[in-house]
Amino acid sequence: MNIKFDSIILYVQNINVLKHFYVENFNLKVLEEDTVWVLMNTGSINIGLHKIGEQYLEKMAEGYQFDNNTKLVFQIDTDIESARNELLSKNVQMREIKTFEGYDFWLCDGIDPEGNVFQLKCKK
């Protein structure tokens, strides 16, 4: 059996807000879209946004952010400080730039409008 990682799906409250966030900030291409689903291509895998069922949305306060253990990592080919500053200028919540001893990359985490963590990764 040959396996290829194809997509990751995030269950979200507001598809349009997150679609706009990822298309605007990461230039993702929308492949499919309807009222409960958006599929975007990152170049190597797809990110799907699936609207949470109404029975779950009714129980969430407005502005609720998810707490999860998933991080979307985007490798960039530009200066990570410039990329971080550009996102900060768009009011995207960004953490400090970091690296680890013996690791060839700079890293910087951010948070999307629903609390999902993403990371910028740039070769030193």
Side-chain angles (χ1 to χ4, degrees):
M1 172 172 54
N2 292 324
I3 297 175
K4 177 184 169 194
F5 189 45
D6 178 74
S7 302
I8 188 164
I9 297 172
L10 300 177
Y11 288 90
V12 303
Q13 297 173 71
N14 190 319
I15 291 173
N16 291 326
V17 167
L18 288 186
K19 177 188 81 169
H20 177 76
F21 178 83
Y22 286 105
V23 169
E24 174 78 19
N25 293 303
F26 299 102
N27 298 317
L28 301 188
K29 179 182 175 191
V30 175
L31 301 175
E32 298 173 13
E33 181 173 12
D34 64 29
T35 59
V36 297
W37 171 255
V38 173
L39 186 66
M40 302 170 293
N41 184 262
T42 69
S44 54
I45 67 165
N46 297 322
I47 296 175
L49 303 175
H50 195 294
K51 185 174 173 94
I52 296 172
E54 292 298 324
Q55 69 272 28
Y56 301 107
L57 285 173
E58 293 170 0
K59 298 175 184 174
M60 291 181 207
E62 187 168 328
Y64 176 84
Q65 290 193 340
F66 291 98
D67 186 21
N68 64 51
N69 63 357
T70 303
K71 183 185 289 187
L72 303 174
V73 179
F74 297 96
Q75 187 164 344
I76 60 174
D77 61 0
T78 188
D79 174 63
I80 197 162
E81 188 170 347
S82 297
R84 179 181 181 272
N85 288 337
E86 180 180 338
L87 290 169
L88 284 170
S89 74
K90 296 177 179 180
N91 296 316
V92 176
Q93 184 180 350
M94 298 297 296
R95 298 180 184 149
E96 296 300 319
I97 297 169
K98 64 183 178 184
T99 191
F100 300 100
E101 186 176 333
Y103 191 58
D104 291 336
F105 295 90
W106 291 105
L107 309 169
C108 186
D109 290 353
I111 311 270
D112 78 15
E114 289 195 10
N116 299 297
V117 179
F118 66 87
Q119 182 175 81
L120 303 180
K121 177 180 177 181
C122 176
K123 189 99 170 134
K124 288 183 179 174

